[in-house]
Amino acid sequence: MVGVSGTMSGRWLSSAAVTHVLVALFAMGSWISVNSLWLELPVVVNVLPEGWNLPAYISVLIAFGNIGPIAVTITHHCAPGRLNERLVIHCIQVLAVVASGCLAVFWSHTVTIAEEERSLVFLLFTFVLSFVCCTSNVTFLPFMFSYPPQYIRTFFIGQGLSALFPCLVALGQGVSKLECKTVNSTVQPEYLKENFPAQNFFWFLCVMLSISALSFQALMQRQTESQENAPPQEPDTLAAEKNGDETHPLHNGGTPVSEDQVQVEEQPQTFWTQRNIYLLSLLAVSNALTNGVLPSVQSFSCLPYGTMTFHLSVVLANIANPLACFVAMFFVLRSSTGLGFLSLAGGVFAAYLLALAALSPCPPLLGNPAGVALVVISGIIFTGLFSYLKVVIGTLLHEAGHAALLWCGISIQAGSLIGALTMFPLVSVYHVFKQAQACVDNCSKQE
């Protein structure tokens, strides 16, 4: 009996649990590149000739990266079933690993264009990595249709890690740490030297992208082996799968199927129902806020309360992301009304953070611990609610078929793009938001 139990336990560990880990590591590679570039900006702007104009360049390059999703969407529309998603994923992963490796070596190299120094190499590889990240939204998610629904939640946990891991490394690097020093009776900020250079950070990025690519290769290998060894399915099992029944979140609820099987098994029913349009709209709005609007003004809403508040808000929000996804492993809110209220609640905290940014550099409760607590807790709840919302919608759309997950990725990308393009002129062109100056009493200056 003990031997049988040990065999079953070993089989469980070698199948479902390992698959969950591989899916998370695979998903981690989706947006880790762009997240890492933003986190490393305070370091590279001190070296590259564009200086603090660099964020504007990166925003434009990320927008151009949407060429990838557009090409994938057109291919799906013009030649349904012809696009080999697995081959596309392999290609963009190899491209990302090569680009990040080249970035680590050549990121500081400049060229002279029209008698001005330009960081052409950095911008070129930034575009390549942006292209890969944008394209991953419309290839990684549809690929996950070949797995049972619980793995979609693991996938979003992995996407949360794509922000958390670079954030922790950047904190260890000591990015944006400063001390206020008095020079000639004037208090001035002095930025401390990083614990390791940008080159090492980009090598970390290369390693993480390599791990993601190897995880995908391992998933392909396990998928092939499971299909070869899988016994014919019983009619009862097929009926259960058709009804959308799920097993325990850490138990393999079904054998992954091939891409050809995915195309055959899709139901011919109409996808564009009111409910699905509603879900895609919620998804687009949530990603516009989490990936475009709030990140653009996070420094304005947090930095007036101090650099420690800013770092706490960033780190704890990035921890809240995968934790919220983990909660969705055990509880899925299927009510459309409930999802609407969840989105509305997240919107309230988003509005508060936007209001703080608009009132920068002198927001309410400045110098009060309550003000620090409110901004940090608001960031955590905002991120947690919308992260949970995204996972639940991804799970529900998984049940609607392969095409639904393609539109899920398109909605995520479209929402993120709209949010970023909306905020770019407000922040970088019209300067609606005012940055707090370090080591200065900004409020007394205004008075």
Side-chain angles (χ1 to χ4, degrees):
M1 192 71 180
V2 175
V4 173
S5 176
T7 303
M8 292 180 63
S9 176
R11 188 175 300 169
W12 180 82
L13 287 171
S14 64
S15 57
V18 174
T19 303
H20 277 280
V21 171
L22 290 175
V23 167
L25 293 175
F26 160 60
M28 176 192 67
S30 58
W31 276 90
I32 194 171
S33 301
V34 167
N35 291 333
S36 298
L37 287 169
W38 283 119
L39 287 167
E40 197 65 4
L41 260 182
V43 179
V44 299
V45 294
N46 294 323
V47 178
L48 299 180
E50 288 79 6
W52 278 106
N53 289 323
L54 203 58
Y57 286 96
I58 293 178
S59 298
V60 172
L61 291 173
I62 292 173
F64 278 116
N66 284 280
I67 294 171
I70 292 171
V72 171
T73 305
I74 292 174
T75 304
H76 275 294
H77 179 74
C78 298
R82 297 289 183 88
L83 185 67
N84 188 333
E85 285 169 351
R86 288 158 174 76
L87 180 60
V88 174
I89 292 172
H90 276 303
C91 290
I92 63 175
Q93 285 185 324
V94 170
L95 190 61
V97 172
V98 172
S100 59
C102 292
L103 190 65
V105 177
F106 302 111
W107 74 272
S108 59
H109 287 229
T110 60
V111 296
T112 302
I113 300 176
E115 299 183 354
E116 288 189 12
E117 288 292 308
R118 295 292 181 186
S119 52
L120 182 64
V121 176
F122 179 86
L123 295 174
L124 174 63
F125 291 125
T126 295
F127 168 73
V128 173
L129 292 172
S130 301
F131 172 85
V132 169
C133 290
C134 294
T135 308
S136 71
N137 272 341
V138 293
T139 51
F140 286 21
L141 270 171
F143 162 75
M144 290 305 300
F145 182 67
S146 60
Y147 286 87
Q150 60 266 27
Y151 288 99
I152 258 301
R153 297 158 216 169
T154 306
F155 177 87
F156 281 104
I157 291 176
Q159 280 202 330
L161 298 178
S162 73
L164 178 61
F165 287 165
C167 177
L168 295 177
V169 173
L171 284 176
Q173 187 184 18
V175 173
S176 297
K177 282 189 176 181
L178 60 84
E179 289 182 351
C180 296
K181 292 191 173 182
T182 304
V183 180
N184 297 328
S185 302
T186 305
V187 180
Q188 297 179 351
E190 180 179 318
Y191 288 89
L192 304 179
K193 186 174 177 60
E194 295 79 28
N195 296 325
F196 53 85
Q199 180 179 4
N200 292 12
F201 186 90
F202 291 134
W203 278 123
F204 154 78
L205 172 61
C206 184
V207 169
M208 299 306 285
L209 288 169
S210 300
I211 291 172
S212 176
L214 291 173
S215 298
F216 179 68
Q217 183 60 44
L219 285 172
M220 292 294 91
Q221 184 65 30
R222 290 168 64 81
Q223 197 174 86
T224 303
E225 292 174 357
S226 64
Q227 288 166 11
E228 291 174 353
N229 301 329
Q233 289 184 311
E234 299 289 335
D236 293 342
T237 306
L238 291 172
E241 288 182 1
K242 186 176 180 180
N243 292 330
D245 293 342
E246 294 184 23
T247 56
H248 188 277
L250 287 179
H251 189 274
N252 195 354
T255 303
V257 295
S258 67
E259 192 165 310
D260 294 335
Q261 288 174 300
V262 167
Q263 301 296 335
V264 172
E265 289 173 6
E266 285 193 67
Q267 300 297 322
Q269 63 189 12
T270 303
F271 166 70
W272 295 107
T273 62
Q274 284 187 344
R275 176 174 169 80
N276 287 344
I277 293 173
Y278 171 71
L279 292 176
L280 290 175
S281 300
L282 283 183
L283 192 63
V285 171
S286 65
N287 279 277
L289 290 173
T290 56
N291 298 342
V293 176
L294 268 300
S296 300
V297 298
Q298 189 171 31
S299 60
F300 300 99
S301 60
C302 296
L303 277 177
Y305 296 96
T307 54
M308 180 57 69
T309 302
F310 176 74
H311 288 309
L312 270 178
S313 182
V314 170
V315 173
L316 293 179
N318 282 328
I319 292 174
N321 186 337
L323 283 180
C325 298
F326 186 73
V327 170
M329 295 282 288
F330 303 94
F331 174 70
V332 176
L333 180 64
R334 295 178 175 272
S335 165
S336 297
T337 305
L339 293 175
F341 277 116
L342 204 65
S343 180
L344 187 62
V348 170
F349 289 99
Y352 177 70
L353 293 171
L354 274 172
L356 292 182
L359 294 171
S360 176
C362 194
L365 298 175
L366 191 63
N368 191 322
V372 174
L374 275 174
V375 69
V376 172
I377 292 172
S378 296
I380 293 170
I381 297 176
F382 161 76
T383 304
L385 288 177
F386 278 117
S387 296
Y388 177 81
L389 183 74
K390 284 187 268 188
V391 181
V392 170
I393 292 176
T395 301
L396 298 178
L397 291 175
H398 180 285
E399 297 169 2
H402 178 268
L405 285 182
L406 172 65
W407 282 107
C408 178
I410 293 172
S411 296
I412 290 173
Q413 193 55 40
S416 303
L417 178 63
I418 291 170
L421 291 181
T422 301
M423 296 307 294
F424 176 74
L426 297 178
V427 175
S428 302
V429 178
Y430 298 108
H431 303 289
V432 173
F433 304 94
K434 306 300 180 184
Q435 184 74 59
Q437 297 181 32
C439 304
V440 173
D441 188 348
N442 295 278
C443 293
S444 63
K445 281 182 67 178
Q446 284 188 340
E447 294 170 0

